[in-house]
């Protein structure tokens, strides 16, 4: 099972930015073999897909709530996944998780099917 460790969460005010990081290790294959994504879960709500990026970083896909608001990227040399979050809103408050997928691209099923998921990092946006 992969070890995924998220960092970069915190408490910010509305309109501010944060960049989340996820470092992966213990992968069965090379980091580049896996599409990766971000999910979030707000208190009392179900887990929500946020963004996905293909193994080589050429293709990304976003949930409607993230389009134009968040940017997913990856540094394959450092086994690191990033999520740049701009103009944060109180409704973005959630625990953010990174995940691997059992394939190298962001197929439509990425929103509902993950392989490994990290422990999460808390993001709190105050109004």
């Amino acid at each position: 099972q992969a070890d995924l460790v998220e960092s970069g969460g915190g408490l910010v005010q509305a309109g501010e930015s944060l960049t989340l990081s996820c470092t992966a290790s213990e992968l069965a294959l090379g980091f580049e073999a896996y599409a990766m994504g971000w999910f979030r879960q707000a208190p009392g709500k179900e887990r929500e897909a946020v963004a996905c990026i293909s193994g080589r970083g050429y293709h990304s896909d976003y949930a409607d709530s993230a389009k134009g608001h968040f940017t997913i990227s990856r540094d394959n040399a450092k086994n690191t996944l990033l999520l740049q979050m701009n103009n944060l809103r109180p409704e973005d408050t959630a625990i953010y998780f990174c995940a691997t997928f059992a394939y190298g691209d962001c197929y439509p099923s990425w929103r509902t099917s993950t392989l490994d998921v990290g422990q999460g990092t808390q993001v709190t946006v105050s109004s």
Side-chain angles (χ1 to χ4, degrees):
Q1 185 172 356
D3 185 18
L4 305 175
V5 180
E6 301 93 339
S7 61
L11 172 63
V12 297
Q13 292 188 333
E16 294 184 339
S17 299
L18 273 178
T19 299
L20 305 183
S21 297
C22 170
T23 301
S25 60
E26 306 298 324
L27 296 167
L29 302 174
F31 184 69
E32 192 174 293
Y34 299 91
M36 296 195 69
W38 288 96
F39 293 77
R40 67 185 183 184
Q41 188 165 18
K45 296 188 176 181
E46 294 188 352
R47 190 179 76 175
E48 174 190 16
V50 175
C52 173
I53 189 167
S54 63
R56 295 192 176 185
Y58 296 149
H59 176 221
S60 59
D61 194 19
Y62 294 88
D64 288 343
S65 61
K67 289 177 181 177
H69 185 38
F70 295 168
T71 302
I72 190 170
S73 62
R74 62 192 295 160
D75 184 343
N76 286 349
K78 297 181 179 180
N79 282 20
T80 298
L81 177 72
L82 301 171
L83 184 69
Q84 172 69 41
M85 305 187 294
N86 295 324
N87 191 25
L88 284 161
R89 310 157 186 161
E91 54 264 38
D92 293 319
T93 294
I95 300 174
Y96 285 72
F97 304 88
C98 68
T100 60
F101 301 103
Y103 31 78
D105 206 345
C106 300
Y107 299 111
S109 61
W110 74 266
R111 288 173 171 79
T112 57
S113 178
T114 59
L115 184 61
D116 296 298
V117 182
Q119 294 297 308
T121 185
Q122 176 72 48
V123 172
T124 303
V125 185
S126 62
S127 58

